[in-house]
Amino acid sequence: NAGVTQTPKFQVLKTGQSMTLQCAQDMNHNSMYWYRQDPGMGLRLIYYSASEGTTDKGEVPNGYNVSRLNKREFSLRLESAAPSQTSVYFCASIFNYGYTFGSGTRLTVV
Amino acid sequence: RKEVEQDPGPFNVPEGATVAFNCTYSNSASQSFFWYRQDCRKEPKLLMSVYSSGNEDGRFTAQLNRASQYISLLIRDSKLSDSATYLCVVNSDNYGQNFVFGPGTRLSVLP
């Protein structure tokens, strides 16, 4: 089915470890996003990519890096995980005004 | 002041009840407004857009009040399956014209 695919669905990291969250969309959308969701905080934008080859910081970019590998793929990297990065991460793409979200990655940093 | 604010709830209502959620936004230049629904441990999904004249989709009615900078969502004849968190989304001048999500209002429809 068309949509946004995120991997992994769950991950536990130790403080200081690194990992990359993968995201791919098959809807030929230009814009892709990474959000984190914490209780009571709503979704907060980490990074976004308006088109292939471009990336920009969102509201909470510290501790993260991104790569827009091609039009389909937009990855999020944690270089040195911290407990404050424990969260649910959602990738999304957008066409006109509707977001399509991936199913999320539940990340715990211990 | 947060850019988008919502009553966190939870709203606990019996089946068949009518329930209304409000959302306020701070950016008077905002042009696009949406309601998303998020089930527990799932991703948000678009419920409906909100148009200036108000719009209805079955049991759901969305209204926009630009003067007071709020949008509302009315759910009539609540069903158990309506239990979810409802997110208000508004476009923003920040971060490349992206959208800002409210923290959500949790609804529990009780049998």
Side-chain angles (χ1 to χ4, degrees):
Chain A
N1 292 334
V4 178
T5 303
Q6 270 183 254
T7 56
K9 292 190 183 300
F10 302 94
Q11 184 71 50
V12 178
L13 289 178
K14 292 182 179 178
T15 298
Q17 286 185 317
S18 62
M19 77 163 293
T20 299
L21 281 64
Q22 307 286 353
C23 176
Q25 52 95 5
D26 57 6
M27 297 171 286
N28 204 35
H29 292 170
N30 285 321
S31 298
M32 296 185 72
Y33 304 80
W34 276 104
Y35 285 90
R36 61 177 287 173
Q37 187 174 35
D38 302 292
M41 300 291 293
L43 285 146
R44 292 183 292 168
L45 182 63
I46 305 171
Y47 271 92
Y48 67 99
S49 171
S51 62
E52 184 180 352
T54 68
T55 62
D56 286 285
K57 295 178 180 179
E59 181 185 358
V60 289
N62 291 345
Y64 306 95
N65 285 302
V66 291
S67 296
R68 183 73 182 268
L69 304 170
N70 47 55
K71 193 170 187 179
R72 289 187 64 249
E73 298 172 289
F74 187 38
S75 62
L76 178 72
R77 183 161 177 84
L78 287 70
E79 291 292 351
S80 179
S84 61
Q85 293 178 305
T86 293
S87 188
V88 180
Y89 292 84
F90 288 103
C91 177
S93 68
I94 192 169
F95 179 71
N96 289 338
Y97 297 115
Y99 280 107
T100 300
F101 285 90
S103 58
T105 297
R106 296 188 173 275
L107 174 67
T108 301
V109 183
V110 298
Chain B
R1 181 185 172 189
K2 292 182 180 177
E3 200 161 347
V4 179
E5 297 193 70
Q6 294 181 251
D7 184 337
F11 283 55
N12 298 316
V13 302
E15 265 187 294
T18 295
V19 60
F21 307 134
N22 287 329
C23 165
T24 58
Y25 60 94
S26 61
N27 184 356
S28 60
S30 294
Q31 295 294 321
S32 301
F33 310 90
F34 307 90
W35 284 102
Y36 275 70
R37 171 196 169 122
Q38 186 173 23
D39 293 302
C40 187
R41 302 179 75 84
K42 297 287 189 181
E43 71 273 22
K45 293 186 178 178
L46 179 64
L47 179 65
M48 60 196 302
S49 303
V50 185
Y51 303 124
S52 296
S53 55
N55 49 299
E56 189 173 306
D57 183 2
R59 297 181 293 107
F60 298 83
T61 300
Q63 297 280 352
L64 167 64
N65 184 320
R66 286 189 186 276
S68 300
Q69 294 181 212
Y70 80 82
I71 66 174
S72 64
L73 177 68
L74 183 76
I75 305 176
R76 292 181 299 278
D77 189 22
S78 299
K79 311 292 184 189
L80 295 176
S81 57
D82 294 334
S83 296
T85 296
Y86 291 84
L87 307 174
C88 170
V89 183
V90 177
N91 79 307
S92 169
D93 289 338
N94 296 323
Y95 314 121
Q97 301 292 318
N98 289 314
F99 293 85
V100 179
F101 287 76
T105 297
R106 192 154 63 88
L107 171 67
S108 292
V109 181
L110 308 173

